[in-house]
Amino acid sequence: MGTDLPGFFVGTEMPTSGWWEALWPDPVGVLVAVGMEPGMDVIDLCSGDGWFTLQIAKIAHHVVAIDLDANLLDVARHRLAEAGATNCDFIADNAYELAELAPQPADFVFLANAFHGVPDRPRLARAVHAALKPAGRFAIVNWHSRPRDETTVLGEPRGPKTELRLSPEQTIGAVEAGGLKLAQLIEVPPYHYGAVFRRLET
Ligand SMILES: C[S@@+](CC[C@H](N)C(=O)[O-])C[C@H]1O[C@@H](n2cnc3c(N)ncnc32)[C@H](O)[C@@H]1O
């Protein structure tokens, strides 16, 4: 499955297990750093196998996990069930359609390790805009645009191809073209940054 699915974002396949956990030992710390707060209704967009989704479920009032790959959603569903989390819905579909998929407007949309592969980024930003409550937030966590050889984890170069990586400026430009406004830009060591956008209250 995965990359064979129609509409799959280029270079966004879920990594082989092992090094992801080594790279992200503190997913809660990432979520707090980008401004996720208790009680929020959250969408985890391109949620993969649920490494972040489980931690979102522990913070949020409710989380909707959306991923094109139903097999990965099954892994995430199992992960959350094992942990006793019951405040999550899982939707296997294309992220571009999130405004139609989400059951209700969200306080926060979280998108990690996928924006680099989105062909039409302003289109995705517009879809996020439509899925957010007024003053809602959209956080993107991206690999820095460093050469892949330099971003090693457990002794191997990791992450998307160098040519796919986006600078903060490229990310901000694409999302603001979709109607959201940058609120915060942070470092997410060792190799990522977080760009947080807000929906204007109109
Ligand atoms: C690199 S993984 C990251 C998963 C998760 N966000 C994380 O950081 O642990 C990117 C995910 O994007 C999903 N994906 C790719 N194209 C998609 C699309 N068009 N709509 C929704 N999900 C998509 C893939 O199936 C994969 O699970």
Side-chain angles (χ1 to χ4, degrees), residues 105-107 129 132-137 199-202:
D107 296 295
H129 186 285
L132 283 172
K133 294 179 187 173
R137 302 265 161 156
R199 186 187 147 133
L200 303 175
E201 295 202 44
T202 52

Side-chain angles (χ1 to χ4, degrees), residues 8-58:
F8 192 87
F9 298 150
V10 62
T12 65
E13 48 284 343
M14 194 73 218
T16 49
S17 66
W19 69 267
W20 204 239
E21 295 81 351
L23 176 62
W24 302 107
D26 179 22
V28 174
V30 176
L31 300 171
V32 171
V34 296
M36 199 172 291
E37 293 173 7
M40 285 181 161
D41 289 318
V42 178
I43 296 171
D44 186 10
L45 198 56
C46 302
S47 52
D49 68 3
W51 184 249
F52 285 97
T53 316
L54 174 57
Q55 307 308 324
I56 295 170
K58 291 179 183 173

